[in-house]
Amino acid sequence: MAAEISPTAFVEKVSDPRFEKKPALLSKIEASGQEVNCARFLPTDDGVITVGDDKFVKIWVKKENGQYWPALSHPMPEIPTCVLMNGETKRLLVGQSNGTIAEFRVKSDYRSLKLMRTYLAHQASVTNVMLCLDREWVFSTSRDKYFQVHCSETGRRLGGYQCNGTCTSLAYDDRSCYAFVGDFSGAIHVVKCDLDSSGNSAKGVILVTIIRGHTGCVQSLAWDPEKKYLYSGSADQSVIIWDIGGQKGTAFELHGHSLFLRDCCVLFFNHSSCSIFTCDQKLRISLWRNCRQRVMSVYFVPTTPALLLSSGDDAMVAVWDADTKRSETPEWRESNNCELCGKAFFWNVTALVSGGDLALRRQHHCRACGRAICSECSPNLAPRPKLGFEFPVRVCSACWESDPPESTRSGPMTRFFDSKQHVLAIDVDLARRRILTLGQDRIVKLWDLSVFLDGHRGAQQQALSR
Ligand SMILES: [Zn+2]
Ligand SMILES: [Zn+2]
């Protein structure tokens, strides 16, 4: 079922409401002359941490003139690949290219670091590091295909799990102790961390299921603890939303992925359209063909209503309305005649000859109702945001008349802004209403997110995930 109409060109139009809101560019940080591997907001104060191929950990704080300057440039023995700072304990975890994780204590003026411990966690470059403060667990993933858990009090390894390929992304649910590990092949491994720092009763890191849907590397994962949605952004140019909790909240109990997936509702996004359906491989593949570029980063913003940010190689930052209920797209119907005017399609030779009408009529499909129709009965293209079509798609005359775009459109459900850089990573400072984009151009840009947060509650609260 190949899509016949490619979405309109991804160009910024003055009149297009999807591009109307433009966040102000607050600051630019030229972080390094070499590759920048990770950039994050400081958890409490106004500043940014960057690490890169120049083997430095840098902490940028805001000066009185509004510019950011490096309060700290700390040399590392190896290339730092990822970084995480905890605001409460001032702990800074730095994953490195040789597989180790260095844990520092940051001085309150950000001018010096004190090395507390080195975890010999992996055999190859560390790709993600995460801290579960309540349980004193340090999570990490690596190119060595392992997900590892260490105790941050003793430095001891508590457990681990080996994936099929390079582990590229990581998310964690505090309540259920489930970790989600995305790998290079496109699989997401769901593992339960049954770990105990002292006792012997723990079972270790146990595989619950593997969810497959992406055909390319899972670049980024984000977790919504309320709805129990997992968001995955992939090099296959799509964002998939996995309803991990299931509609009855039972999917967690099911083991084995065929059962799991049957209860799993998939909300599919890409940068040109979005659809919700229940695991229809065929549809998903046809939608993939419409996409443009790799999705490198997804970020869940826990406001009410919630937002999902995604970006990647196309330089567009998409701001999805994550709470609005989207409808399932209709099945495409098959017919020998147009379901509106009744005229025969070209393969229906008997009807063509007997009717004396030899026009070569191709079959098309209305994206809103799924009817098989001829081109004369579907002269219009219209966006259908509720169905996930943010960009105009073919609709039949009946649907066009019953629901003309001007009358029902309350506004787009997704907005885009152009970051003018190939985005590698996104971070959000909700307390200051800002988003950070790290580009391949080694520049960190800080944007004012306020235009997207109008009417959103909880925007003053610090993001839960840091
Ligand atoms: Zn027709
Ligand atoms: Zn229709």
Side-chain angles (χ1 to χ4, degrees), residues 366 368-371 395-396 398-399:
C366 171
C369 67
R371 266 188 284 223
V395 291
C396 69
C399 288

mmCIF file of all heavy atoms in Angstrom, residues 366 368-371 395-396 398-399, ligand 2:
data_model
loop_
_atom_site.group_PDB
_atom_site.id
_atom_site.type_symbol
_atom_site.label_atom_id
_atom_site.label_comp_id
_atom_site.label_asym_id
_atom_site.label_seq_id
_atom_site.Cartn_x
_atom_site.Cartn_y
_atom_site.Cartn_z
ATOM 1 N N CYS A 366 -9.361 7.888 -0.057
ATOM 2 C CA CYS A 366 -9.557 9.040 0.817
ATOM 3 C C CYS A 366 -8.888 8.724 2.153
ATOM 4 O O CYS A 366 -9.158 7.692 2.758
ATOM 5 C CB CYS A 366 -11.049 9.305 1.009
ATOM 6 S SG CYS A 366 -11.381 10.538 2.286
ATOM 7 N N ALA A 368 -9.317 10.203 4.897
ATOM 8 C CA ALA A 368 -10.193 10.445 6.044
ATOM 9 C C ALA A 368 -11.183 9.301 6.263
ATOM 10 O O ALA A 368 -11.470 8.931 7.391
ATOM 11 C CB ALA A 368 -10.941 11.757 5.866
ATOM 12 N N CYS A 369 -11.735 8.727 5.155
ATOM 13 C CA CYS A 369 -12.743 7.680 5.335
ATOM 14 C C CYS A 369 -12.295 6.338 4.766
ATOM 15 O O CYS A 369 -12.911 5.315 5.037
ATOM 16 C CB CYS A 369 -14.074 8.098 4.707
ATOM 17 S SG CYS A 369 -14.008 8.227 2.911
ATOM 18 N N GLY A 370 -11.255 6.317 3.956
ATOM 19 C CA GLY A 370 -10.731 5.060 3.432
ATOM 20 C C GLY A 370 -11.410 4.571 2.167
ATOM 21 O O GLY A 370 -11.049 3.526 1.622
ATOM 22 N N ARG A 371 -12.429 5.313 1.678
ATOM 23 C CA ARG A 371 -13.149 4.884 0.480
ATOM 24 C C ARG A 371 -12.249 4.847 -0.754
ATOM 25 O O ARG A 371 -11.336 5.666 -0.881
ATOM 26 C CB ARG A 371 -14.303 5.855 0.193
ATOM 27 C CG ARG A 371 -15.626 5.419 0.792
ATOM 28 C CD ARG A 371 -16.740 6.314 0.322
ATOM 29 N NE ARG A 371 -16.699 7.591 1.027
ATOM 30 C CZ ARG A 371 -17.791 8.197 1.495
ATOM 31 N NH1 ARG A 371 -18.990 7.669 1.326
ATOM 32 N NH2 ARG A 371 -17.699 9.352 2.115
ATOM 33 N N VAL A 395 -8.385 13.818 0.128
ATOM 34 C CA VAL A 395 -9.673 13.484 0.742
ATOM 35 C C VAL A 395 -10.739 13.477 -0.354
ATOM 36 O O VAL A 395 -10.616 14.175 -1.355
ATOM 37 C CB VAL A 395 -10.086 14.490 1.856
ATOM 38 C CG1 VAL A 395 -9.175 14.369 3.059
ATOM 39 C CG2 VAL A 395 -10.110 15.914 1.343
ATOM 40 N N CYS A 396 -11.785 12.669 -0.161
ATOM 41 C CA CYS A 396 -12.846 12.588 -1.165
ATOM 42 C C CYS A 396 -13.770 13.804 -1.045
ATOM 43 O O CYS A 396 -13.761 14.498 -0.027
ATOM 44 C CB CYS A 396 -13.629 11.287 -1.018
ATOM 45 S SG CYS A 396 -14.644 11.205 0.466
ATOM 46 N N ALA A 398 -16.900 13.959 -0.553
ATOM 47 C CA ALA A 398 -17.859 13.844 0.547
ATOM 48 C C ALA A 398 -17.237 14.306 1.861
ATOM 49 O O ALA A 398 -17.840 15.065 2.621
ATOM 50 C CB ALA A 398 -18.338 12.401 0.668
ATOM 51 N N CYS A 399 -16.015 13.840 2.126
ATOM 52 C CA CYS A 399 -15.337 14.237 3.369
ATOM 53 C C CYS A 399 -14.978 15.720 3.345
ATOM 54 O O CYS A 399 -15.029 16.402 4.358
ATOM 55 C CB CYS A 399 -14.075 13.407 3.585
ATOM 56 S SG CYS A 399 -14.430 11.714 4.055
HETATM 57 ZN ZN ZN B 2 -13.704 10.401 2.372
#
